Amino acid sequence: MKIGVVGLGYVGLVTSAVLAEHFNSVTGIDIDKNKIERLLEGYPPLYEHNLKEYLVRNKSRLTFSWDYNDLSGCDAVFVCTPTPTVNSRIDTKHVEGSCRAIAKVSPDSAIIIKSTVTPGTASKIRESTGLTVISNPEFTREGSAIMDTEKPDRIIIGGDKDDICETVWAFTGSPVLKTTNENAELIKYASNAFLATKISFINEIANLCETIPGADVEIVATGMGLDKRIAPYFLRAGIGYGGSCFPKDTQALLGFAEDKGVDLKIVRATIDVNNSRINHAIEMIKEDVEKMGIKKLCVLGLAFKNGTDDVRESRAIDLIKGLISSGIEVTYYDPVVTQDIRGAELSRSIGECVGSCDAIVIASEWNEFKELQNMNVTKPVFDLKRLLEMNYFKHYRGIGLWHE
Ligand code: UDX
């Protein structure tokens, strides 16, 4: 098929690469000329496992452009433009603008909305453009986005004349749920809010574990996850969820429901718990900083999670800023991010980072940080992601672990 993709961020680029891999002819559009020029030279503007390989391997079926006219004649155009949350409400101007532009240049295309939008958005766009508008939310995680797109747990398709979307994704072999646009739009928000709730729930249990001699949230979560109804996923305690989706989507869902006169109490509590995680971690660290005379900390991990260079809503950055405000010196290291943070010092390797500090803080789950277990580290370790085996360290404090 001839497929267009508008908006070449994570979702758009991964969608383009995967659809080209599966023998579609793909035209990717973005208004950022700089990004298009780099893509045409063969450089993806972001780090995602396998993305570069996919783009290179399929370059004969992939074109990139900033000109919407190049979409003319497409069978379907995926809309992957951003939907920022402003004052707890989503702003759909980019999605609506893209759809208007598509309607002008390719009036026979079906529009498939991948962007996360609140219920009612697709129907509104259908009315204003007169085109076929299908909702097909994405559920991909950064770091495994290609795999998640090629083999998703499920494909949600909302709207009439939805066969074209089902045909595009047929190669995945994944179960398909066909429904209304509104249900499809809400499934995305409800799924993300539910996963965020699991994280906040286990983080509250972690707080409780820290007060009970002998308790450890890791073991509690493992025991809970063995129950098939609960499942072991998204039960890792830490410094809270970050990234481009959960914080923005939980806020947007809350605001959307509020406008409908519905108070989503659990989603509100999920956000509150998440907002309290950084202070909780800083208080935990400060107790020992004072007791042990620690002056400088090495923070390992800067991106919002391992496996990505994305720092949007990174909890690690909030943590570093909070530590600095508390008068603690900070040096930091991340395997793929080299962003400057005012008042903190960037290290170029784990060795350099660990060597120049009095204590170590784990802020994300890169496997590379497990090297610390073989480095005979005698400095105190604060494991905020429960990545390390505590037995390797003389002084170890973990989130959700009772401590004298
Ligand atoms: C998420 C959703 O998983 C995906 O379906 C959606 O389409 C986009 O948002 P992503 O933002 O890539 O994907 O990250 P994810 O792996 O879900 O993690 C989100 C945040 O939660 C990270 O900060 C992560 O560290 C944190 N997290 C995750 C936990 O603190 N504990 C967990 O058990 C899982």
Side-chain angles (χ1 to χ4, degrees):
M1 274 198 248
K2 190 169 182 308
I3 305 281
V5 176
V6 175
L8 299 175
Y10 263 97
V11 176
L13 259 187
V14 169
T15 303
S16 304
V18 169
L19 290 179
E21 169 87 1
H22 293 273
F23 308 109
N24 296 285
S25 156
V26 179
T27 303
I29 303 284
D30 200 290
I31 51 166
D32 183 343
K33 285 194 177 181
N34 205 10
K35 187 185 273 184
I36 295 298
E37 272 157 12
R38 280 186 63 76
L39 278 165
L40 291 171
E41 285 161 13
Y43 298 105
L46 46 92
Y47 171 81
E48 177 63 36
H49 183 60
N50 273 337
L51 179 61
K52 192 162 194 234
E53 290 78 349
Y54 269 54
L55 293 177
V56 171
R57 189 158 71 219
N58 298 296
K59 65 173 189 273
S60 63
R61 284 190 290 273
L62 265 171
T63 52
F64 296 108
S65 168
W66 51 81
D67 185 355
Y68 272 81
N69 284 307
D70 291 337
L71 292 175
S72 122
C74 279
D75 299 301
V77 181
F78 283 87
V79 174
C80 307
T81 39
T83 47
T85 300
V86 183
N87 297 330
S88 296
R89 307 294 185 279
I90 68 157
D91 182 350
T92 52
K93 69 168 182 274
H94 301 292
V95 170
E96 290 182 38
S98 312
C99 293
R100 275 196 302 273
I102 297 163
K104 254 194 216 149
V105 299
S106 194
D108 296 327
S109 301
I111 290 182
I112 305 181
I113 299 183
K114 273 231 159 286
S115 305
T116 302
V117 291
T118 43
T121 308
S123 295
K124 195 170 125 198
I125 292 172
R126 182 184 295 114
E127 272 165 36
S128 66
T129 60
L131 297 194
T132 296
V133 182
I134 299 162
S135 305
N136 175 220
E138 55 80 28
F139 301 95
T140 56
R141 293 156 300 173
E142 291 183 22
S144 56
I146 298 247
M147 192 179 77
D148 291 350
T149 307
E150 289 198 313
K151 207 85 207 91
D153 286 351
R154 79 297 208 191
I155 294 182
I156 305 294
I157 302 179
D160 306 328
K161 301 186 194 150
D162 43 21
D163 294 354
I164 189 160
C165 190
E166 198 175 358
T167 309
V168 171
W169 295 118
F171 69 87
T172 63
S174 301
V176 175
L177 175 73
K178 289 195 192 187
T179 181
T180 60
N181 290 98
E182 287 70 21
N183 279 337
E185 290 164 325
L186 191 52
I187 286 168
K188 168 65 191 259
Y189 274 107
S191 300
N192 272 2
F194 186 74
L195 292 172
T197 301
K198 278 187 99 174
I199 298 171
S200 280
F201 180 85
I202 202 67
N203 280 334
E204 283 213 299
I205 298 296
N207 287 352
L208 182 59
C209 286
E210 287 165 19
T211 69
I212 305 170
D216 180 351
V217 72
E218 283 285 278
I219 310 293
V220 174
T222 304
M224 288 169 64
L226 287 170
D227 184 327
K228 289 191 187 68
R229 296 167 302 172
I230 297 174
Y233 316 107
F234 285 74
L235 284 180
R236 306 239 24 213
I239 43 177
Y241 55 80
S244 65
C245 289
F246 287 175
K248 147 179 120 56
D249 292 350
T250 44
Q251 281 293 351
L253 181 61
L254 195 64
F256 174 77
E258 208 172 272
D259 292 344
K260 299 271 173 207
V262 178
D263 182 20
L264 296 181
K265 297 185 191 67
I266 293 176
V267 178
R268 187 186 301 284
T270 293
I271 296 169
D272 282 351
V273 170
N274 202 56
N275 289 343
S276 68
R277 292 312 287 163
I278 295 301
N279 271 347
H280 178 80
I282 291 174
E283 285 312 311
M284 181 177 123
I285 293 170
K286 268 167 60 183
E287 272 176 30
D288 281 7
V289 160
E290 280 155 27
K291 251 193 266 164
M292 303 172 89
I294 294 165
K295 290 207 162 42
K296 189 169 180 181
L297 288 172
C298 138
V299 175
L300 296 178
L302 199 67
F304 87 91
K305 65 172 187 179
N306 60 310
T308 178
D309 64 352
D310 194 342
V311 292
R312 285 177 289 177
E313 299 282 335
S314 161
R315 311 298 292 166
I317 293 183
D318 293 343
L319 175 80
I320 292 173
K321 288 184 178 162
L323 290 168
I324 296 169
S325 311
S326 306
I328 302 166
E329 285 177 59
V330 175
T331 177
Y332 61 95
Y333 167 75
D334 185 283
V336 289
V337 187
T338 53
Q339 178 180 310
D340 286 327
I341 298 177
R342 198 203 293 227
E345 185 186 295
L346 171 68
S347 291
R348 300 276 163 189
S349 66
I350 299 192
E352 185 188 320
C353 197
V354 169
S356 65
C357 69
D358 307 310
I360 300 157
V361 178
I362 303 290
S364 80
E365 293 162 284
W366 285 93
N367 250 334
E368 180 178 338
F369 301 158
K370 288 189 183 160
E371 278 174 33
L372 289 171
Q373 293 173 175
N374 307 317
M375 286 166 68
N376 287 328
V377 173
T378 50
K379 295 175 182 178
V381 173
F382 299 95
D383 190 350
L384 306 184
K385 295 296 279 186
R386 298 304 301 274
L387 176 76
L388 305 172
E389 293 282 337
M390 66 183 98
N391 304 340
Y392 288 92
F393 305 97
K394 197 164 155 224
H395 178 100
Y396 175 95
R397 262 192 97 163
I399 279 282
L401 183 67
W402 177 72
H403 183 83
E404 262 176 277

